[in-house]
Amino acid sequence: MNRRAKTWALAVCSFLMSAAAWADEAPVAEQAAIRAMAGCFEVRFRFTETFVTDPSYPIRSEDHASGGTEWVDVDGDAPGTISLQHVLVQGDSGLKHWRQDWQWEPTSQYDFKGDALWVSRDLTTAESVGAWVQKVTQVDDSPRYQCTAAWVMRGPRPYWECQAWSPLPRREFTQRSDYNVLDRRNRHWITAAGWLHEQDNRKLIVNAEGIREVAQEKGMDSYTRVADERCAPARAWWAAHREAWRAVQGVWAHVYGHHPRLQMRPRVEGHLLWERLFELTDTYVAAGLADWAALAEQAYAVIGSHVVHESSYTSP
């Protein structure tokens, strides 16, 4: 183990040993647990279909396994709020991946309802007090799922667990259409080696006839910390693209503020939303343009074309 790894291991051990003592100082300790998910990681994703409820559902005969090297950047950090941007290492470059935005004691969250529809819901005091909402967004910063729960700081490994509906994951929606909602239980464990994202998922068909489970799935995403130097391409890529994507995120903030019911068109004129936004931001960065207001205006037009109820969509 090199000196950097030893230093990190000692810091994590100290963090884990004192977690119980920190619990009284929440949300400082909890925000530190979220921050511990940042850094450079070797990532392994594995999913196994464990049980079939509907005999007509064709169970996957092999596990889904993939992986790579990923930089998780602290893209915002203030008391009670913290953002983590995931960026995959792609050779000598980077690729924007999913994003986590955490907020302490939220008053509302978006719930996925199926059919590319998210609906804002006011949270009760019991749901909000002492809890964090995790807002997970797609690679293009469009909504994926949100869920509110308290961190558990007692015991040897701090963890956060919550259950929410989401659209099909990327590993599934290009290959199958025999279910339309993933009812996911997420658990984030902070460990001495990095962190684990454990999932227990139910695959559902949600339509006018009701809700029907077709299968269940177990997932384990392991994030093993490695030297930051291994993520240098992703870090450099994100540094160059960060401001362009902040302009896009500003447009999304406006969309959320004006759409308590947000329904999205996956494709417009044959193009996916992420394809259009990636092309737009890459064009600005490659040309050395820094007119983020102009980029936001173009992103507004792109995103607006994917919003179903355009009549209620007002200009920022």
Side-chain angles (χ1 to χ4, degrees):
M1 182 181 293
N2 60 35
R3 180 174 299 176
R4 182 189 297 272
K6 288 180 179 178
T7 301
W8 170 252
L10 289 172
V12 170
C13 288
S14 177
F15 167 74
L16 297 177
M17 290 173 64
S18 58
W22 287 355
D24 293 335
E25 301 174 18
V28 173
E30 297 158 16
Q31 190 149 338
I34 298 168
R35 194 181 299 111
M37 290 190 282
C40 186
F41 300 94
E42 196 66 30
V43 187
R44 292 289 178 265
F45 306 103
R46 185 169 182 176
F47 294 87
T48 302
E49 287 186 334
T50 56
F51 184 77
V52 172
T53 312
D54 184 344
S56 66
Y57 178 85
I59 191 167
R60 191 169 54 221
S61 59
E62 297 181 356
D63 291 355
H64 172 89
S66 60
T69 305
E70 186 161 275
W71 174 249
V72 184
D73 188 70
V74 179
D75 197 40
D77 192 359
T81 180
I82 183 168
S83 296
L84 303 177
Q85 178 62 58
H86 294 239
V87 185
L88 291 167
V89 175
Q90 293 278 289
D92 59 357
S93 186
L95 181 66
K96 189 173 183 292
H97 203 196
W98 63 294
R99 182 179 178 89
Q100 310 179 53
D101 291 306
W102 294 80
Q103 181 185 343
W104 167 250
E105 295 191 339
T107 58
S108 64
Q109 70 175 37
Y110 273 89
D111 293 336
F112 181 65
K113 298 296 185 179
D115 194 25
L117 173 66
W118 288 260
V119 177
S120 180
R121 175 174 64 88
D122 291 337
L123 298 175
T124 66
T125 300
E127 289 176 301
S128 175
V129 171
W132 291 80
V133 63
Q134 183 198 39
K135 303 176 182 180
V136 173
T137 50
Q138 313 267 23
V139 296
D140 53 19
D141 291 321
S142 62
R144 180 153 183 75
Y145 61 87
Q146 300 183 10
C147 199
T148 301
W151 274 83
V152 178
M153 303 302 291
R154 61 184 179 273
R157 296 191 297 181
Y159 72 90
W160 179 90
E161 182 179 311
C162 203
Q163 187 163 354
W165 281 12
S166 80
L168 271 63
R170 182 173 297 274
R171 59 188 162 81
E172 293 271 86
F173 79 79
T174 57
Q175 301 180 32
R176 63 193 318 162
S177 57
D178 42 15
Y179 74 101
N180 60 355
V181 170
L182 191 68
D183 179 13
R184 53 192 305 151
R185 191 203 73 180
N186 295 303
R187 178 179 287 178
H188 292 263
W189 295 95
I190 308 302
T191 71
W195 56 286
L196 299 173
H197 181 190
E198 182 182 5
Q199 301 176 43
D200 289 287
N201 302 327
R202 299 168 63 232
K203 299 182 177 184
L204 309 177
I205 296 175
V206 179
N207 54 32
E209 298 176 358
I211 301 170
R212 180 161 58 91
E213 178 187 294
V214 296
Q216 297 178 12
E217 174 187 69
K218 182 72 177 183
M220 184 65 77
D221 303 339
S222 62
Y223 290 74
T224 303
R225 191 173 297 276
V226 296
D228 285 356
E229 289 80 1
R230 291 183 54 181
C231 287
R235 296 176 68 185
W237 183 92
W238 181 237
H241 287 75
R242 184 196 308 269
E243 293 305 319
W245 279 102
R246 281 188 174 162
V248 174
Q249 289 156 9
V251 175
W252 277 117
H254 176 80
V255 172
Y256 293 136
H258 287 79
H259 286 273
R261 290 176 58 87
L262 176 60
Q263 191 166 28
M264 305 293 298
R265 293 188 182 96
R267 289 182 182 269
V268 172
E269 298 179 351
H271 296 288
L272 295 167
L273 177 57
W274 73 264
E275 295 172 332
R276 302 175 72 189
L277 290 179
F278 272 48
E279 181 180 3
L280 176 62
T281 53
D282 286 347
T283 297
Y284 268 74
V285 173
L289 301 176
D291 188 345
W292 307 128
L295 189 156
E297 185 177 352
Q298 290 180 267
Y300 162 76
V302 170
I303 293 171
S305 70
H306 284 262
V307 175
V308 172
H309 302 294
E310 296 182 42
S311 60
S312 65
Y313 192 73
T314 55
S315 177

